[in-house]
Amino acid sequence: MYIAPCDSAPTPAPPPPGKANYLPVENVVINEVLTHTDPPFEDAIELQNLSDNPVDIGNWWISNSESSLKKYRIPANTTLTARGVMAFYEGQFNPAPGAEHSFALNSAHGDKVILSEADGFGKLTGYRAIIEFGAAQNGVSLGRVKTSIGDQFVTLARLTFGVDNPSSVAAFRK
C-alpha cells in the first residue's frame, strides 16, 4: 500500500469526549495572567505573538467560560507586533462586575482564560488558545514556560508586565 507524503502540518488530534471541538491558534498564546490583586494592582492577561509577522487580533474574544466565549471583545484594529506582547487589564474585561459580558479571574480556586479568534465582524472562526491554572497568591503572576511536555503555566518569580511599584491602578497599566 502506498501512502502519499503530506506537505502540511499534521492535523491536531480530536478532543476527548466531553471537551469542546476547536482548532488551536498557532501564532498567538496566552503568555501570563495575574489573578489575585489588591490596588494599586489589578488582574491582567498578557498575550504574545509567536510569529515574525504582526497579527491583527482586533475583534477577537477573551473569556473564562467555554459556554460563553464572547465576553470581552478586543477593540478593532488591535495589532500584536511581531514577537510582541500586549496586556489586557481587569478594567477592560470586567468593567461592570456581575454583568453578562464582564468577567473576573478566580484566584482562590483557579480558572481558565480562552482566547478565541474571530473575523473582522467578531464571528468566531473555531480557533482558540486555552490555558487553565490553579490558585494564586496575591501579587504573584502565572506564566507560560516551555517544557519537554509542552507549555505549562507556572508561578513566576516576578511580573513581566505593568509597573513594579505603581502609585495607582492607572500607573500599573503603563
Side-chain angles (χ1 to χ4, degrees):
M1 171 159 93
Y2 173 76
I3 299 177
C6 179
D7 293 330
S8 63
T11 303
K19 286 290 186 181
N21 188 9
Y22 67 90
L23 297 168
V25 173
E26 299 288 334
N27 53 354
V28 178
V29 295
I30 301 158
N31 195 55
E32 184 175 354
V33 294
L34 179 61
T35 66
H36 188 169
T37 57
D38 292 319
F41 295 94
E42 72 178 325
D43 291 3
I45 300 166
E46 181 185 78
L47 305 180
Q48 181 177 19
N49 178 356
L50 299 178
S51 77
D52 292 325
N53 299 304
V55 176
D56 181 359
I57 59 170
N59 296 309
W60 290 24
W61 297 90
I62 301 174
S63 178
N64 66 339
S65 169
E66 291 181 71
S67 63
S68 181
L69 296 171
K70 293 182 172 184
K71 287 196 173 183
Y72 172 71
R73 188 174 185 169
I74 297 173
N77 303 312
T78 300
T79 300
L80 262 172
T81 59
R83 303 276 173 199
V85 295
M86 182 177 293
F88 295 91
Y89 297 94
E90 186 172 5
Q92 293 170 281
F93 57 82
N94 193 22
E100 181 180 350
H101 293 292
S102 285
F103 71 97
L105 300 173
N106 190 325
S107 62
H109 301 287
D111 209 340
K112 66 178 72 174
V113 173
I114 305 162
L115 174 67
S116 297
E117 182 183 88
D119 65 16
F121 301 102
K123 182 179 176 191
L124 299 175
T125 64
Y127 287 85
R128 293 185 207 147
I130 301 175
I131 57 106
E132 294 186 40
F133 48 88
Q137 293 180 330
N138 195 344
V140 176
S141 66
L142 304 167
R144 184 180 64 90
V145 175
K146 292 191 106 19
T147 70
S148 61
I149 58 171
D151 291 348
Q152 303 291 308
F153 246 69
V154 301
T155 301
L156 298 178
R158 66 184 257 335
L159 300 174
T160 65
F161 52 74
V163 174
D164 288 338
N165 294 307
S167 58
S168 66
V169 171
F172 170 63
R173 295 177 187 161
K174 290 185 180 184

